[in-house]
């Protein structure tokens, strides 16, 4: 039996006739539909995780940070004993959450007056950050995806990391006006990984099913004359 005859025999076994072609087409369409659906659902789940991270950051600022700061704290860089007090608070309320990598405090004019990242220079905001700070001063919480140099630990060296940068208003007790903006940087991996489960595994499985069904369909179409 030559090679072509062996392939023809295999085609007959796997269903190269009209019924086989219909079956393989149906399987391929079903697998493709599952892939599209899983991609759509994962995107929706990522949006939900992102919105939750933004609400969580804004809630922590409102209930912990804003209630512990004073108007005087926001008038100039936070240094000395007050810096240690704010660091203790922020590490307990924010950095204890492994999803949060950095916390910053900005003045309305874009001056950085506090950061949990050691040795980070107190600098002016970049163009993107200035826009986020302006939104916060106007009372809005906004978030953007960004690649930032963030230290993964208290004494670790900063590395380039994908973050969700959330900037939200700071309102201190007994003052109605927004006096500053807090920036909470959340690791994007903490958002993407929960959103990917179990859809990533599902896509791998049905991707293999789709490829197998398409291969069988190609065989079935090639030998459709021998198996009408």
């Amino acid at each position: 039996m030559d090679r072509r005859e062996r392939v023809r025999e295999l085609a007959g076994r796997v269903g190269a006739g009209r019924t086989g072609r219909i079956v393989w087409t149906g399987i391929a369409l079903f697998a493709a539909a599952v892939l599209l659906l899983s991609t759509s659902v994962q995107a929706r789940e990522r949006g939900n995780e992102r919105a939750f991270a933004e609400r969580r950051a804004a809630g922590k600022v409102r209930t912990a940070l804003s209630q512990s700061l004073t108007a005087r704290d926001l008038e100039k860089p936070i240094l000395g004993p007050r810096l240690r007090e704010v660091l203790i608070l922020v590490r307990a309320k924010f950095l204890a959450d492994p999803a949060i990598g950095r916390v910053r405090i900005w003045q309305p004019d874009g001056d950085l007056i506090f950061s949990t990242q050691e040795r980070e220079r107190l600098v002016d905001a970049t163009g993107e950050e200035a826009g986020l700070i302006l939104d916060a001063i106007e009372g809005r919480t906004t978030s953007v995806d960004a690649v930032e140099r963030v230290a993964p630990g208290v004494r670790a060296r900063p590395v380039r990391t994908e973050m969700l940068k959330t900037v939200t208003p700071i309102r201190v007790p007994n003052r109605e006006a927004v006096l500053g903006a807090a920036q909470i940087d959340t690791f994007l991996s903490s958002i993407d990984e929960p959103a990917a489960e179990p859809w990533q595994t599902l896509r791998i499985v049905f991707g293999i099913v789709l490829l197998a069904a398409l291969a069988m369909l190609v065989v079935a179409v090639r030998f459709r004359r021998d198996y009408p």
Side-chain angles (χ1 to χ4, degrees), residues 12 24 30 32 55 92 95 99 104-105 109 124 127 132 140 143 145 148 152 168 181 193 195 200 202 206 208 213 221:
W24 293 123
F30 177 74
R55 291 195 304 270
L95 299 187
R104 285 168 154 181
I105 298 175
D109 59 3
D124 294 337
L132 297 174
R140 297 187 296 272
S143 298
D145 294 352
E148 297 282 321
T168 190
E193 290 174 4
Q200 187 172 356
L202 192 68
F206 277 89
I208 295 172
V221 171

Side-chain angles (χ1 to χ4, degrees), residues 84-171:
R84 290 192 293 273
E85 293 172 0
V86 176
L87 275 173
I88 291 172
L89 169 72
V90 170
R91 286 171 179 169
K93 300 296 184 180
F94 292 86
L95 299 187
D97 184 344
I100 297 177
R102 181 176 61 183
V103 177
R104 285 168 154 181
I105 298 175
W106 300 92
Q107 288 180 319
D109 59 3
D111 287 341
L112 179 64
I113 60 173
F114 171 85
S115 175
T116 54
Q117 190 161 301
E118 291 188 2
R119 296 180 296 276
E120 184 173 41
R121 291 180 300 173
L122 302 182
V123 297
D124 294 337
T126 63
E128 180 183 64
E129 289 165 343
L132 297 174
I133 293 167
L134 178 60
D135 286 341
I137 298 306
E138 294 177 351
R140 297 187 296 272
T141 296
T142 51
S143 298
V144 296
D145 294 352
V147 177
E148 297 282 321
R149 290 187 61 82
V150 176
V154 174
R155 299 189 180 279
R157 297 184 62 182
V159 295
R160 291 176 61 83
T161 309
E162 292 185 330
M163 310 293 291
L164 178 68
K165 184 189 300 184
T166 300
V167 181
T168 190
I170 296 177
R171 292 183 174 91

Side-chain angles (χ1 to χ4, degrees), residues 9 15 35 42 49-50 68 74-75 77 80 118 130 135 148 152-153 166 180 194 205 219-220:
E9 181 182 357
L35 288 174
Q42 181 177 342
E49 291 288 339
R50 192 177 187 277
S68 301
L74 301 173
E75 292 177 353
E118 291 188 2
D135 286 341
E148 297 282 321
T166 300
V205 171
V219 172

